[in-house]
Amino acid sequence: MTTDEAIKIMAKAYYDLLVKLKSVVENNNYVSIGLREGMNKFLSNLYINLRSKNGKYDTDYYLQEAWNHLNDGTPLVYEHIVPKAKYIQEPCEEACKSGKFDDGTVFSEESVFMLLKDRWHVATITEKDKDLNRLGLSRKMPEEWGLDKDPFLRYKKANIKLLDSEGKEVHLAL
């Protein structure tokens, strides 16, 4: 299954989930507390399930070292290029509550799809490749991200090179 096909399924499922849970969560804070961990993992678990091959998940990008260790048992990590909680989950959950995203776009299955299409990029990295921490970018995008919305900006800032799913270097020039 391609990334776009997976994102289409994810958008529908996530939109349906948010709409169905909206009134329950608004009326019972304990439900919200109890669901938080499941909500945090919903999109990632669905994506992994849709994109797994031979029991291993498949991503569109890889760090070189992770690419070199795909089949040798080295622990690998699934990493969001754009931090999921702050830039995907929070905007979708807030838009579901208010009916609109911050830019005025109406909350709909299509708007969730467009947000996921723009921001849902994942990479396979090794556990020790968490170099974004040194720049304070492990859970957020650089301040200037709002100007161009380049999903790879924090990787560019950290000078982290990525490979595509065929092992070819992806050009991420600043």
Side-chain angles (χ1 to χ4, degrees):
M1 175 173 298
T2 68
T3 299
D4 283 351
E5 291 168 336
I7 287 174
K8 188 75 169 166
I9 292 168
M10 291 165 57
K12 178 171 181 18
Y14 195 45
Y15 173 80
D16 288 349
L17 176 68
L18 290 174
V19 168
K20 285 183 176 38
L21 288 178
K22 181 180 176 185
S23 64
V24 176
V25 171
E26 285 175 347
N27 296 320
N28 187 332
N29 190 45
Y30 294 119
V31 172
S32 180
I33 292 167
L35 284 175
R36 180 56 25 216
E37 186 66 18
M39 293 297 289
N40 288 344
K41 295 186 177 193
F42 180 82
L43 286 168
S44 295
N45 285 343
L46 180 54
Y47 185 76
I48 289 168
N49 182 276
L50 293 170
R51 293 289 310 265
S52 71
K53 295 179 183 175
N54 303 320
K56 295 182 181 180
Y57 55 83
D58 183 34
T59 58
D60 292 318
Y61 303 99
Y62 299 82
L63 267 64
Q64 179 69 58
E65 188 171 351
W67 182 267
N68 294 340
H69 294 287
L70 283 176
N71 297 307
D72 68 8
T74 297
L76 300 175
V77 178
Y78 179 84
E79 174 74 11
H80 296 274
I81 302 291
V82 175
K84 178 186 62 163
K86 183 171 178 134
Y87 301 99
I88 296 173
Q89 276 180 248
E90 288 176 20
C92 285
E93 290 176 10
E94 289 303 315
C96 182
K97 288 177 192 172
S98 69
K100 292 186 178 188
F101 286 93
D102 285 346
D103 67 358
T105 304
V106 174
F107 178 71
S108 66
E109 185 179 321
E110 179 63 23
S111 61
V112 172
F113 171 76
M114 294 308 294
L115 183 133
L116 288 173
K117 189 158 176 54
D118 287 343
R119 299 180 184 180
W120 189 269
H121 305 280
V122 290
T124 300
I125 65 172
T126 62
E127 288 181 331
K128 66 181 186 175
D129 279 328
K130 295 256 182 182
D131 288 337
L132 296 169
N133 289 339
R134 67 182 163 81
L135 294 175
L137 298 174
S138 63
R139 296 185 187 267
K140 67 177 187 173
M141 296 299 283
E143 292 296 323
E144 66 270 25
W145 184 66
L147 300 175
D148 68 3
K149 299 288 188 193
D150 177 357
F152 298 98
L153 186 58
R154 69 186 186 135
Y155 280 73
K156 291 175 184 178
K157 288 267 195 199
N159 199 28
I160 297 173
K161 293 180 174 53
L162 294 172
L163 305 177
D164 66 16
S165 60
E166 296 177 1
K168 297 176 185 157
E169 188 170 334
V170 177
H171 184 65
L172 300 177
L174 271 174

